[in-house]
Structure formats: C-alpha cells, structure tokens
Amino acid sequence: MQAVFVIRAVKCLFRAAEIMEGRVLVLSQAKMQAAVADLTSELLKKAATDLPQEITAALMQARERETVESAKVQLDNILNNVHISKVKCASICQDPGIIVFDVNVGSKFPLNFDLAEILRTATENMMLGRIL
C-alpha cells in the first residue's frame, strides 16, 4: 500500500516539472533523473520502515483484547519489530512483499531517461539494504 505513496510523489514531481516548464526554472533531464531516483529510494525506505500510526495503534488495541497467549506473543513480536525499525531505521518485515509501480505521465512530459530502470534499481537497493 505504501508504494502507492512513491508513485504519487513521483507524479507530483513530474507535475511540478510540467508546471515549471515555460517559467524561469526548468529541471534538466539529469536533475530530474536524480530527483526521481532519490525520491523513489527515500519513499521506498519509508514504506519499508515506517508503519502508519493508526496501524500501530490498531495492533496495540488488538494486543490488549487478545485472549490467546500465542497470539499475544505474535502481536508483541510485530510491535517489537515496529519499534526496532524506528530506532534502527531497519525494515519492519524481512519480506516487504511485491512492489508494483503504476506510472502514468502526460504525453507532453519530456521523459528522456529510463524510469523503469530507476525504479528497478531503487527497489533492488532497498531490498538489499543499501538505502535502509
């Protein structure tokens, strides 16, 4: 779910570049490519290490309501992983699942670099712990 934030942020970056086109500030292709790579890496890191507060609160409430001891232990482990991920900036889970990118840009947007390769590299770096 949080990978969607990556796409929204990238779309916002692209939209900002489209708006700036024709004004004084226009991002060069190299700067745009670097910005997309940095933004993707940063947001993938956030998606892997930062659980939304409402989810953490729901896990804590579930832990308090739980009556089965083995389930309490599992919820304690999850909550402990969430805490460790915040302290050590580490992935919450060893398996972050499948990351799907659905990127659409306008036909007038000058995309002169390989966006798929940037997304692939950022994802690989995140999976290998290079950006955590």
Side-chain angles (χ1 to χ4, degrees):
M1 179 175 109
Q2 290 191 18
V4 171
F5 296 125
V6 173
I7 300 310
R8 287 187 182 148
V10 170
K11 284 182 178 180
C12 288
L13 180 64
F14 285 164
R15 183 66 186 131
E18 288 175 337
I19 290 169
M20 289 184 284
E21 189 174 331
R23 295 188 183 180
V24 176
L25 178 62
V26 177
L27 294 177
S28 70
Q29 284 302 126
K31 286 184 180 180
M32 177 65 79
Q33 185 173 351
V36 170
D38 291 347
L39 180 62
T40 301
S41 295
E42 187 60 34
L43 292 173
L44 283 171
K45 176 182 173 181
K46 181 174 176 54
T49 61
D50 186 19
L51 197 63
Q53 183 57 40
E54 63 270 15
I55 303 299
T56 304
L59 287 167
M60 292 170 76
Q61 291 171 359
R63 167 60 175 91
E64 294 303 316
R65 290 190 311 265
E66 188 55 64
T67 58
V68 177
E69 193 59 36
S70 60
K72 285 183 179 183
V73 169
Q74 290 305 313
L75 287 166
D76 285 339
N77 288 336
I78 293 169
L79 288 165
N80 189 45
N81 285 346
V82 170
H83 174 73
I84 290 170
S85 75
K86 285 188 185 299
V87 172
K88 294 188 176 183
C89 196
S91 181
I92 294 171
C93 182
Q94 291 179 1
D95 181 4
I98 298 171
I99 300 171
V100 177
F101 296 97
D102 179 16
V103 180
N104 297 296
V105 293
S107 61
K108 294 181 182 180
F109 185 78
L111 186 64
N112 295 329
F113 55 87
D114 188 353
L115 181 59
E117 182 58 31
I118 289 173
L119 298 176
R120 190 172 19 264
T121 300
T123 303
E124 180 180 301
N125 288 339
M126 189 270 301
M127 300 293 273
L128 295 174
R130 294 180 190 142
I131 59 172
L132 294 179

